[in-house]
Amino acid sequence: MFSSHDGLCSIGELAEHLGVSVKTVRFYSDRGLLPEASRSAGGHRRYGPDAVQRLGMIRSLRGLDLPLPDVRSMLDELDARGDQEGAGAGGALEDAVAGRLRGLGAELAALRWREAALRLVQECPAAERPARLRLVGAVTAPPSTAPLARSWRAWLPPRMPARSVTAFLEAAVPAPPDDPRPAQVLAFARLHAFVTRPCGGAGADAGQPRAHGVAGTRAPAVLYAGLAEAYDLAGAELRRGAAPAPGEALDGFVDAYASTYGTRDTPAFRRVLAERLADDPRIDRYWELTAAVISAPGGPPEPTPGSAHDWLFAALEEQSRATGHGGARPPVTSA
């Protein structure tokens, strides 16, 4: 391949053969990725024919923006198998490519978020831009949901099992969309401001609802597990546009409280529960913003735990009024 008597080439010849700079070849040689075959009498580097394939492999890997440590691992793996061309590239290459794909996914998500944020600022009236910039500038790209989760963790009852806390956070903390619209960026930024404002987050302002005031280490987990099931059922009703009404969702909702209190589901209990829920603090703004973050463009709002709760509470109030003068319904068996 090389015309010299010893079959070796200089660093300049190798660089010219691959169409790269001498500086590039020296860089990879100095880092041990491209071993020299020997040195000339004058101390100049000499490379063998296999350096062409090796440097080509290095360029291909670096062209995919794989970091040098990953390139080194792959070359070491190829050396161990005697596979200079990389035809049987194994685990190191697969791991590096998978890791780079994950990294690119995060980078693309950040770019899409920044693009939507810039459009949001660009499209708003000039007088509103400074405030809009401060609002969206307080959110990382891609945005972190950690502040929202912290707010809810502070609000949840102490000694809640980790599994129950995780399940609640999955329902209460909206995941930022991968390809957001400017309106979704605005909603998430406002949600972030809502939970990080100096006077406290969603949970700090509201406190535990009076209706949740039950004793016992298992009580919160039992209550929230039952409410999650009821909210799922109510969410299905909301998606099909159903008006609040008695049914399986409401029965599960009431049974969650009755089971936690250790009592039976009766018309009288439902009336008392409706009164307690009516007095509890509300965080409607949080759920409105959450729905704006997760809803598809042009479509109906996606159900949230907040909107599901409102639907169930409306159904409970209507039924309590209807049975307030002696009306009866079959009791629900406590779980």
Side-chain angles (χ1 to χ4, degrees), residues 201-234:
D205 280 353
Q208 273 291 299
R210 188 166 66 100
H212 292 195
V214 290
T217 56
R218 288 188 66 252
V222 171
L223 175 60
Y224 281 97
L227 291 179
E229 293 180 9
Y231 291 161
D232 283 344
L233 293 171

Side-chain angles (χ1 to χ4, degrees), residues 74-99:
M74 283 177 273
L75 292 174
D76 290 345
E77 187 177 85
L78 295 176
D79 288 342
R81 297 205 311 267
D83 180 9
Q84 288 299 315
E85 296 187 15
L93 177 58
E94 292 176 4
D95 292 345
V97 169

Side-chain angles (χ1 to χ4, degrees), residues 210-211 253 261 267-281 313 316-318 320-321 324:
R210 188 166 66 100
F253 180 68
Y261 295 157
F269 175 75
R270 293 195 176 211
R271 289 192 292 272
V272 171
L273 179 60
E275 292 172 2
R276 290 189 180 183
L277 292 174
D279 291 337
D280 278 336
F313 176 56
L316 178 63
E317 275 198 315
E318 180 63 29
S320 296
R321 282 193 293 268

Side-chain angles (χ1 to χ4, degrees), residues 15 24 28 32 41 54 91 131 133 143 195 214 226 276 293 322-323:
T24 297
Y28 292 131
R54 190 174 185 87
L133 276 170
V195 301
V214 290
R276 290 189 180 183
V293 170
T323 61

